[in-house]
Amino acid sequence: MVKWLRFPSPHEIHSDTRLAARVIGVLYGAGAVLVGISLLLPHPAHTNDGAMLVIAGVAALIAALLLTLGQRLRAWALQVAIGLGSVLVSLCVYFAGQPSAYAAMFIWVVLASAFFFPGRPTAVQMAWLLAVYATALYSIPAGGYSPLTWLSLSAIAFGAAAAVVSWLSEAASRRFEVSESRAGTDPLTGIANRRRLDEELTRELAWAKRHRAPLCVAIIDVDDLKKFNDRHGHLAGDHLLLSAVAAWRSAIRPSDFIARIGGDEFMLVLPDCSAESALAVLARVRVATPDGASCSTGVALWDELEGAMDLFARADAALYEGKRDGGDQTVLFSHEPSAIDSGERPAERTPTG
């Protein structure tokens, strides 16, 4: 129950039709209850009670359908349901014989449309609402304010509500997207962080498994960054990382994905890439490292069985081998369990320089 009542995120608002169907269904149910209660309370004698009961029944039926079949409905079907709500409210006005409190239910139509379908769809819904409402107003006996007055005042009130809710909905979505983007971005270098890397690596592993394609991952470590910071200061170290990332991005393939996973460590995901091709890419990366700095890289080829963490661990082990032997080199992990068990060096090296 708590999950069912959970307030949606801006992303869910525009992508989850089941959620929209629930909300619209609840509004239809509320409309059915409102009409039913209005007939039990004192009301004008000229109200067509039979027609109003039919309208309440139709609203209840639509509510039930939306709440039970919501996940199967497309966005266009939900917009039809919203438009039908305008028709039913207009019929309530018509059979009541006057612009009564039933017209207040139009605000539900406005809010549902503007909240879930901001922009042009809401403008279309507003035009439809005013058209069917005008038909009802000009079909009942005039009394008090003229139909034109009722329609004009309603257009201003509902139009303002639609505009504000649409604007807030779109603004919330944009802020949510920016927030999500920032949550997956390293604040210093502007490239992906560990969170986005995990998502990307999971996708690439699934793609490689589905297409039986090779996949390599590599960890890049800037050699002696701590000594560089001690000698030149942390601002200079930050500038080195920024320059290095820019240089590396120009050296890798367009399909490759780079992310920062630690202070001086970066991971490179190389989809549809053999071990030999990965070594060629990493050779360019090492040559491109700027400002007289060097880097060490450890690379592992996916064995078509392991998960992301195991693949990451093998690349990290290869990097450790290279760093332990002085750095400034690329180490390719050779996936030989016997070599690991016997304590032998589980890696192959490419020449430095």
Side-chain angles (χ1 to χ4, degrees):
M1 178 63 71
V2 173
K3 182 178 179 181
W4 192 87
L5 293 175
R6 180 178 59 85
F7 192 78
S9 72
H11 175 71
E12 292 171 321
I13 289 171
H14 296 122
S15 62
D16 191 347
T17 54
R18 180 171 58 179
L19 176 66
R22 283 177 180 173
V23 173
I24 298 169
V26 167
L27 294 178
Y28 262 103
V33 171
L34 186 150
V35 173
I37 291 177
S38 71
L39 297 177
L40 296 176
L41 298 173
H43 57 278
H46 59 262
T47 299
N48 189 329
D49 291 2
M52 299 295 280
L53 283 174
V54 171
I55 293 172
V58 171
L61 176 61
I62 294 174
L65 291 174
L66 287 169
L67 293 172
T68 55
L69 303 177
Q71 68 182 93
R72 304 179 187 177
L73 298 177
R74 301 291 182 88
W76 66 265
L78 296 177
Q79 294 191 49
V80 169
I82 293 173
L84 184 56
S86 294
V87 174
L88 293 183
V89 176
S90 296
L91 288 174
C92 286
V93 172
Y94 174 76
F95 287 115
Q98 60 183 13
S100 59
Y102 295 118
M105 289 189 290
F106 278 126
I107 195 64
W108 295 345
V109 173
V110 172
L111 294 179
S113 179
F115 192 67
F116 291 107
F117 307 105
R120 182 177 298 179
T122 295
V124 173
Q125 290 287 355
M126 281 295 303
W128 173 248
L129 182 157
L130 294 174
V132 294
Y133 188 29
T135 302
L137 288 173
Y138 281 97
S139 301
I140 59 179
Y145 291 111
S146 68
L148 179 60
T149 301
W150 278 107
L151 194 62
S152 299
L153 295 177
S154 299
I156 294 172
F158 297 152
V164 170
V165 175
S166 289
W167 174 70
L168 290 175
S169 180
E170 291 182 320
S173 294
R174 286 194 296 270
R175 293 190 65 178
F176 182 80
E177 290 170 0
V178 170
S179 177
E180 283 289 285
S181 176
R182 288 177 177 172
T185 302
D186 175 58
L188 173 63
T189 62
I191 62 174
N193 61 11
R194 180 62 184 269
R195 172 183 172 180
R196 241 181 88 200
L197 169 67
D198 291 341
E199 298 171 354
E200 183 70 16
L201 185 54
T202 299
R203 281 194 295 268
E204 291 296 348
L205 282 171
W207 190 91
K209 183 175 183 179
R210 187 164 58 251
H211 296 277
R212 301 186 64 83
L215 172 70
C216 287
V217 299
I219 300 179
I220 308 170
D221 181 275
V222 179
D223 293 326
D224 300 321
L225 181 62
K226 184 178 184 302
K227 292 181 181 178
F228 185 91
N229 286 337
D230 292 341
R231 187 179 306 118
H232 302 286
H234 285 278
L235 287 179
D238 289 346
H239 178 74
L240 172 60
L241 291 179
L242 285 168
S243 301
V245 167
W248 295 340
R249 293 178 76 174
S250 66
I252 63 179
R253 306 173 307 168
S255 59
D256 297 336
F257 181 88
I258 188 169
R260 188 182 185 192
I261 58 176
D264 57 356
E265 288 192 349
F266 300 80
M267 176 169 263
L268 191 59
V269 180
L270 302 110
D272 198 16
C273 185
S274 64
E276 292 76 15
S277 297
L279 291 175
V281 171
L282 292 171
R284 296 197 301 269
V285 165
R286 290 177 48 222
V287 170
T289 304
D291 299 333
S294 65
C295 67
S296 300
T297 60
V299 60
L301 174 66
W302 181 53
D303 69 358
E304 301 185 11
L305 294 174
E306 64 194 333
M309 292 304 298
D310 291 333
L311 182 58
F312 184 103
R314 289 201 294 116
D316 191 55
L319 175 68
Y320 175 75
E321 288 287 327
K323 297 292 286 186
R324 188 178 64 180
D325 286 354
D328 193 18
Q329 59 184 303
T330 293
V331 178
L332 171 64
F333 190 100
S334 178
H335 194 58
E336 297 291 341
S338 59
I340 297 174
D341 294 340
S342 64
E344 298 175 20
R345 181 173 296 169
E348 298 173 356
R349 284 165 180 71
T350 61
T352 62

